[in-house]
Amino acid sequence: MPLACPICRQTYEPEPGFYYGAMYISSGFSTGILLAIGFLLFYLAHDPPLWVYITTVAAAVLAVTPLLFRYSRAVMLYGFGGAGFDPRYATH
């Protein structure tokens, strides 16, 4: 396998700490889901018991874990890894 893309020269190996940064971004996404579901349950379900909050948030985060895994790495790559989309390379 080549070390970099032959067209755009983007390296395939991310820098050290890339996956740690992606974990922080994923944690931020999970916190956003927790807050959104918490507010929705508080206002729409009229403050249910604590076990309802825990069960609902846990089920929602587990359901979207594959998306969190993929999008946190994409945000890290495009935000901090120097990758970008150039339509000139898409034609090759």
Side-chain angles (χ1 to χ4, degrees), residues 1-54:
M1 182 171 166
L3 295 175
C5 176
I7 297 172
C8 67
R9 305 288 183 235
Q10 175 70 35
T11 60
Y12 293 133
E13 181 73 26
E15 71 273 0
F18 172 80
Y19 294 105
Y20 290 121
M23 285 186 338
Y24 283 113
I25 293 172
S26 178
S27 176
F29 286 161
S30 296
T31 303
I33 290 170
L34 180 140
L35 290 174
I37 290 176
F39 284 125
L40 287 173
L41 283 175
F42 184 79
Y43 289 112
L44 297 178
H46 305 292
D47 196 18
L50 181 62
W51 69 269
V52 174
Y53 284 105
I54 293 171

Side-chain angles (χ1 to χ4, degrees), residues 39-73:
F39 284 125
L40 287 173
L41 283 175
F42 184 79
Y43 289 112
L44 297 178
H46 305 292
D47 196 18
L50 181 62
W51 69 269
V52 174
Y53 284 105
I54 293 171
T55 305
T56 307
V57 168
V61 169
L62 283 175
V64 298
T65 295
L67 295 174
L68 293 176
F69 179 70
R70 182 164 306 275
Y71 286 123
S72 64
R73 290 187 303 164

